[in-house]
Amino acid sequence: MLVLPAGHPPVRTRFAPSPNGALHLGHAWAALWAHDFARNHGGTFLLRIEDIDGTRVRADLVAAILDDVRWLGLDWDGDVLFQSARLQAYAAALATLQARDLVYPCFCTRSQIVAAGAMPGHDGLVYPGTCRALPLAQRARRMAFEAHCWRIDMGKAMALVGPLTWHDLAAGTQVARPELFGDVVLVRKDAPASYHLAVTVDDAHQAISHVVRGADLFAATHVQRLLQALLGLPTPDYLHHGLLIGADGRKLAKREAAPALAALRARGEDGAGLIEALRKNRLPSGILLAEPSYTGS
Ligand code: GLU
C-alpha cells in the first residue's frame, strides 16, 4: 500500500457504501483500503451510509452493512454519518448554486433525452441541454406542477472557475474534465441530491483528507472537483484502487452472484481472517484483481 512521506497532514478516510444491495467481497476490499490507509498513517477512518437514494434503499440492508463492517474487524471512528440526515446541507449547496445561476430545472424524461439525440458520455448519456434554454417564464410555470431535477450548466460553471486539477496518489496530478459528463444532475427528481452533490458536500463536512475508493469512481472525481470549486470546499487527495473482478472479467456488481458478506457471516466464516487474506493479496478462488486503468484521465 502507498505510504505518505513523513510530516504528512492528518489522514481521514471514509468507507461510503450505498445500502441498495448487500455488501460483497468488492466492498470488503474497498473498506480495507480506506481503513488501512488511515490506520497506516495514524489517521481516522469514518463510515458513511449513502442512503438518500430513496427508491432503492432498504433499511434492513443498513443494519446488515454495519454488522458486515464489524464482522470484518474494520473498526470505524465516531458516529456513522447517514446521508438521510444531511438533506439540509444538500439543499443549502443547491441554493448556493441557484443563487449563482449555475443550475437549472430539467423536466425531461429519459425517453425525451434519448429522442433529443443525446450522445453517450462518460457515465450514461450526455444531456443535450433542452431545458437549459427554456424561457424563464415557462420554467417558473412548469416548476409549479411538473416533476423536475436540477442540472448544472456545465459550460457556464467551467468558464467561471477556469482550469482545475486534482491529485491522485497513484495516478498523479489530473486536469479536471467534468465536461465528459455534460450537464449532470445535482438534485434528482426522486431524491434530494445526486451522488455527486452529496459525496462532495459530505467529504468536506467530514474533513476527508484522502478519498480512498475504487477506480470505477476515478472519473467521477472530475465532477466532484468542479463542485468543490463552485461551493468553496477544500479538495482532498485521492487514491483510486484496483477492483476485484470475477474470473469472467466482470465486476463484482451488487446484482450479480457475488456471495454477500452477510451470507459468509451467517455461515460462521471468519471476517477478520478474510480481511487478513485480502490484506496479503490472497484472493478467494475465482476472484481476480483488475489493476486500475484510470479511465477518464
Ligand atoms: N456510495 C458509493 C458506492 O457505493 C461510493 C461513494 C464514494 O466512495 O465516493 O459506490
Side-chain angles (χ1 to χ4, degrees):
M1 179 168 287
L2 234 138
V3 180
L4 296 174
H8 60 79
V11 169
R12 283 168 75 86
T13 67
R14 81 311 191 267
F15 173 52
S18 305
N20 48 24
L23 297 196
H24 56 65
L25 208 60
H27 293 102
W29 180 249
L32 169 64
W33 268 85
H35 171 274
D36 280 14
F37 189 82
R39 297 295 184 235
N40 290 345
H41 295 98
T44 303
F45 171 62
L46 302 173
L47 182 57
R48 180 164 79 222
I49 302 293
E50 306 215 319
D51 59 344
I52 51 166
D53 181 358
T55 53
R56 288 180 300 158
V57 168
R58 286 173 33 198
D60 55 321
L61 283 173
V62 174
I65 287 174
L66 302 187
D67 287 345
D68 287 343
V69 181
R70 277 190 209 102
W71 172 72
L72 293 168
L74 300 174
D75 296 331
W76 64 87
D77 297 305
D79 293 335
V80 178
L81 185 73
F82 290 88
Q83 289 195 324
S84 53
R86 299 266 308 140
L87 305 191
Q88 280 181 353
Y90 312 141
L94 177 70
T96 300
L97 300 173
Q98 284 169 330
R100 300 173 73 188
D101 202 21
L102 292 169
V103 287
Y104 60 88
C106 170
F107 308 91
C108 294
T109 60
R110 197 187 143 73
S111 47
Q112 285 168 333
I113 293 173
V114 172
M119 301 298 284
H122 206 82
D123 183 26
L125 297 174
V126 171
Y127 181 64
T130 320
C131 288
R132 196 194 310 127
L134 283 185
L136 284 183
Q138 197 188 124
R139 189 182 276 184
R141 194 163 4 96
R142 291 182 67 177
M143 274 174 67
F145 59 91
E146 269 185 64
H148 53 275
C149 66
W150 286 88
R151 291 183 180 275
I152 192 164
D153 184 334
M154 184 59 77
K156 192 169 177 182
M158 287 186 68
L160 186 74
V161 297
L164 298 170
T165 59
W166 52 279
H167 187 67
D168 186 286
L169 295 183
T173 298
Q174 308 292 315
V175 174
R177 297 178 60 205
E179 72 277 10
L180 293 169
F181 292 77
D183 289 2
V184 282
V185 172
L186 296 187
V187 171
R188 296 168 36 159
K189 265 183 197 169
D190 60 351
S194 71
Y195 158 68
H196 288 302
L197 184 67
V199 162
T200 305
V201 168
D202 286 346
D203 282 340
H205 173 69
Q206 293 189 291
I208 299 302
S209 65
H210 293 80
V211 173
V212 179
R213 63 183 175 191
D216 52 339
L217 292 169
F218 182 85
T221 313
H222 294 310
V223 175
Q224 293 166 21
R225 177 67 188 91
L226 174 67
L227 293 177
Q228 289 156 7
L230 296 173
L231 295 168
L233 302 175
T235 301
D237 276 348
Y238 290 82
L239 177 56
H240 291 95
H241 57 75
L243 302 177
L244 298 188
I245 55 171
D248 56 1
R250 297 177 67 200
K251 245 173 79 172
L252 299 186
K254 290 164 189 156
R255 285 164 205 85
E256 288 173 27
L261 297 181
L264 303 179
R265 183 156 54 79
R267 281 211 304 256
E269 292 199 21
D270 172 16
L274 170 66
I275 280 294
E276 212 32 60
L278 292 179
R279 197 172 265 138
K280 293 180 182 140
N281 270 352
R282 284 209 315 264
L283 305 177
S285 72
I287 303 290
L288 307 170
L289 172 59
E291 289 300 343
S293 62
Y294 303 122
T295 47
S297 60

